[in-house]
Amino acid sequence: MTLLPIILVLLIAVVLLFFVLRDLGMMSKKQKILGVLVIFICAFGIGIYSFQKSQEDKRNFLLQMAFLRGETLMCKDQPINAKSFNLVTGTLSLIGKENTPSKNITYQLSECNIDSINNDSLQEQLEKD
């Protein structure tokens, strides 16, 4: 995630340099075409990254809501529910509660799925948006 601002700043710098050189007449037609092509490829890459990140964020949100509603999540073939685990929203992790057999066990929310009965529901909600 920290790479995105750096990439955006570099992209803006390249675009500005492209327009300055174009205005000064220091670019040939091939260089202009290549410059526009590079800008479009970078924009396409950023678009794909943003779409994938958006899908991941939606998935994590749906998993959080399911957990908070009391549904059972499956994390590495282990059933996880609110009775024995706490959700830490800052790190998107599930940590075992103190007085339970799952004490100090930690799972990342990204490793989890909604129990197989409702897994189709998660997929439908992701595809809806």
Side-chain angles (χ1 to χ4, degrees), residues 25-110:
M26 299 176 73
M27 293 180 68
S28 68
K29 188 171 184 170
K30 287 181 184 180
Q31 290 172 329
K32 288 178 186 178
I33 292 171
L34 182 62
V36 169
L37 184 62
V38 167
I39 290 170
F40 280 128
I41 290 172
C42 289
F44 184 73
I46 290 171
I48 289 174
Y49 172 80
S50 296
F51 176 76
Q52 289 175 345
K53 185 66 176 160
S54 172
Q55 289 294 89
E56 181 182 330
D57 290 344
K58 286 178 192 174
R59 182 179 183 281
N60 285 336
F61 177 74
L62 292 173
L63 287 171
Q64 286 179 39
M65 292 300 106
F67 181 80
L68 294 174
R69 279 192 308 262
E71 295 182 31
T72 300
L73 303 180
M74 294 298 291
C75 302
K76 295 184 180 178
D77 296 328
Q78 297 294 323
I80 307 297
N81 57 34
K83 294 177 185 173
S84 56
F85 282 84
N86 288 321
L87 174 65
V88 180
T89 55
T91 58
L92 293 179
S93 58
L94 300 160
I95 299 176
K97 291 184 178 179
E98 278 294 319
N99 299 322
T100 62
S102 55
K103 178 182 177 182
N104 294 330
I105 297 176
T106 304
Y107 293 103
Q108 294 298 317
L109 194 62
S110 61

Side-chain angles (χ1 to χ4, degrees), residues 18-26:
F18 172 75
F19 285 118
V20 167
L21 291 176
R22 186 189 67 166
D23 288 342
L24 294 175
M26 299 176 73

